[in-house]
Amino acid sequence: MSGIKNQQILIPQKIYIGDTAEIRCTFNLPDFHAEPATADFLSQIDGETCEIAQVEFSPAGTDFYQLSVIFVPWKTGEIQLPPIFIGGLPLEFQAVHVESLAESQTALKEPVPPILLPGTAYRIYGAIIIALIFVLAAIRMIVKRKSLAFFVRTQILRLKCRRSRKITEKKLLAMLSDRTLTDKQWAERVQKIMRKYLSVKYQADFLARAASEIIPAVFEIIGGIQEDKNEFLGQIAEVFLRTDFVRYSSRGVLLENEKNRLTDTLLGAIAGVESA
């Protein structure tokens, strides 16, 4: 028995488990007035393979008809529906393929590089260069941190010495016009002023040392590396000896204009010590 020739399409073309799909068959049968044997067709369907939701049969033009089978597949692979008889003639369906989500491959597009605003690349390059400069500068500072620390300490000491010199000179000159001081008081204050100056200059504590110990201690600190200063340090030593005599001797008095002479000696010695 020859079957009914038909044209079959699957809607949609790709189906997956659980999808609602349609097999639509169009065929030509002249002088035909029968209905499809739907009940017999449904009795042959394996419910574990697919489920038939609806079978529709309708005219599609003169002597043309359309059969639509709406179904839901429940397994992957090929599904073959049994033939359906129309007017005693079988209409055979083509097998349909049910896709597997696990095996289907999704074509991935190549990643698109980020869209940069005009000038952004230059800013990025500039930021990288600046960062490298900072890193190199930081490394250089770390490597030479000892030299840098020494330089900073030296500059701070210079500023302190410069300020100490100005204060010392100002105080020595101010004492010349102070007529309220006795000779012993004047000698004591001169020593205190010079002790503070030498303590700052040579970073040592000379406030509690005997006057005779101060200059030898200074020579020990400089270790002979400033021999050109020896003359000026000697002048300061002479002033300490003279003011010690004025302070502690019962006959200790200053001669006429000796305050001016001793002050000039100290100012000259300070200038010599501070000279490059």
Side-chain angles (χ1 to χ4, degrees), residues 9-16 21-22 96-99:
I9 59 173
L10 177 65
I11 304 174
Q13 293 184 352
K14 280 190 175 183
I15 59 174
Y16 300 88
E22 177 184 359
V96 297
H97 182 75
V98 180
E99 303 285 342

Side-chain angles (χ1 to χ4, degrees), residues 89-147:
L89 297 176
L91 186 151
E92 296 184 354
F93 298 97
Q94 299 175 11
V96 297
H97 182 75
V98 180
E99 303 285 342
S100 171
L101 288 173
E103 296 177 358
S104 63
Q105 297 180 353
T106 303
L108 299 177
K109 295 183 179 180
E110 295 184 359
V112 178
I115 300 175
L116 298 179
L117 296 175
T120 302
Y122 295 107
R123 292 174 184 169
I124 294 174
Y125 295 146
I128 293 174
I129 292 173
I130 293 173
L132 288 175
I133 291 174
F134 275 109
V135 169
L136 292 175
I139 293 174
R140 183 178 178 84
M141 288 179 65
I142 292 172
V143 172
K144 296 191 174 183
R145 63 186 181 278
K146 292 184 179 179
S147 299

Side-chain angles (χ1 to χ4, degrees), residues 6-220:
N6 67 89
Q7 293 182 347
Q8 175 178 311
I9 59 173
L10 177 65
I11 304 174
Q13 293 184 352
K14 280 190 175 183
I15 59 174
Y16 300 88
I17 291 178
D19 287 349
T20 299
E22 177 184 359
I23 297 176
R24 185 177 298 172
C25 300
T26 304
F27 55 91
N28 174 254
L29 279 179
D31 301 327
F32 177 76
H33 303 286
E35 292 289 332
T38 303
D40 187 49
F41 169 73
L42 294 176
S43 65
Q44 301 179 61
I45 298 298
D46 182 0
E48 295 182 1
T49 300
C50 69
E51 176 183 347
I52 304 299
Q54 187 176 357
V55 177
E56 295 183 349
F57 181 74
S58 60
T62 305
D63 295 335
F64 281 89
Y65 301 89
Q66 180 176 285
L67 178 71
S68 176
V69 178
I70 300 173
F71 69 102
V72 178
W74 295 122
K75 77 169 189 176
T76 59
E78 298 292 330
I79 293 181
Q80 179 65 61
L81 297 181
I84 185 171
F85 284 83
I86 303 175
L89 297 176
L91 186 151
E92 296 184 354
F93 298 97
Q94 299 175 11
V96 297
H97 182 75
V98 180
E99 303 285 342
S100 171
L101 288 173
E103 296 177 358
S104 63
Q105 297 180 353
T106 303
L108 299 177
K109 295 183 179 180
E110 295 184 359
V112 178
I115 300 175
L116 298 179
L117 296 175
T120 302
Y122 295 107
R123 292 174 184 169
I124 294 174
Y125 295 146
I128 293 174
I129 292 173
I130 293 173
L132 288 175
I133 291 174
F134 275 109
V135 169
L136 292 175
I139 293 174
R140 183 178 178 84
M141 288 179 65
I142 292 172
V143 172
K144 296 191 174 183
R145 63 186 181 278
K146 292 184 179 179
S147 299
L148 180 61
F150 176 76
F151 174 79
V152 172
R153 287 196 301 269
T154 302
Q155 295 304 313
I156 293 175
L157 180 59
R158 285 182 179 178
L159 292 174
K160 287 183 177 179
C161 290
R162 188 177 303 172
R163 182 173 180 272
S164 175
R165 176 186 177 180
K166 290 182 179 180
I167 293 174
T168 300
E169 292 174 341
K170 184 176 180 180
K171 286 183 176 181
L172 290 174
L173 292 172
M175 286 176 59
L176 289 176
S177 59
D178 190 346
R179 303 301 179 185
T180 63
L181 298 175
T182 66
D183 289 348
K184 292 185 183 296
Q185 289 174 335
W186 185 89
E188 182 182 359
R189 291 193 181 184
V190 166
Q191 282 203 12
K192 285 183 179 180
I193 292 171
M194 291 305 299
R195 286 172 184 271
K196 287 183 180 179
Y197 166 75
L198 293 173
S199 295
V200 174
K201 178 65 179 177
Y202 296 105
Q203 294 295 289
D205 185 8
F206 295 125
L207 298 178
R209 289 189 181 229
S212 59
E213 298 176 348
I214 293 176
I215 300 306
V218 171
F219 281 126
E220 185 179 348

Side-chain angles (χ1 to χ4, degrees), residues 199-269:
S199 295
V200 174
K201 178 65 179 177
Y202 296 105
Q203 294 295 289
D205 185 8
F206 295 125
L207 298 178
R209 289 189 181 229
S212 59
E213 298 176 348
I214 293 176
I215 300 306
V218 171
F219 281 126
E220 185 179 348
I221 291 172
I222 64 179
I225 61 175
Q226 295 179 331
E227 294 182 0
D228 56 329
K229 314 294 183 186
N230 292 352
E231 177 185 353
F232 305 111
L233 292 173
Q235 294 174 1
I236 295 174
E238 291 177 2
V239 174
F240 269 109
L241 292 175
R242 176 58 182 158
T243 52
D244 251 7
F245 176 79
V246 172
R247 291 177 64 192
Y248 300 115
S249 174
S250 59
R251 296 182 292 109
V253 291
L254 294 169
L255 303 175
E256 186 178 356
N257 293 325
E258 191 173 12
K259 286 183 181 181
N260 291 333
R261 183 177 62 81
L262 293 177
T263 300
D264 290 341
T265 299
L266 290 176
L267 293 176

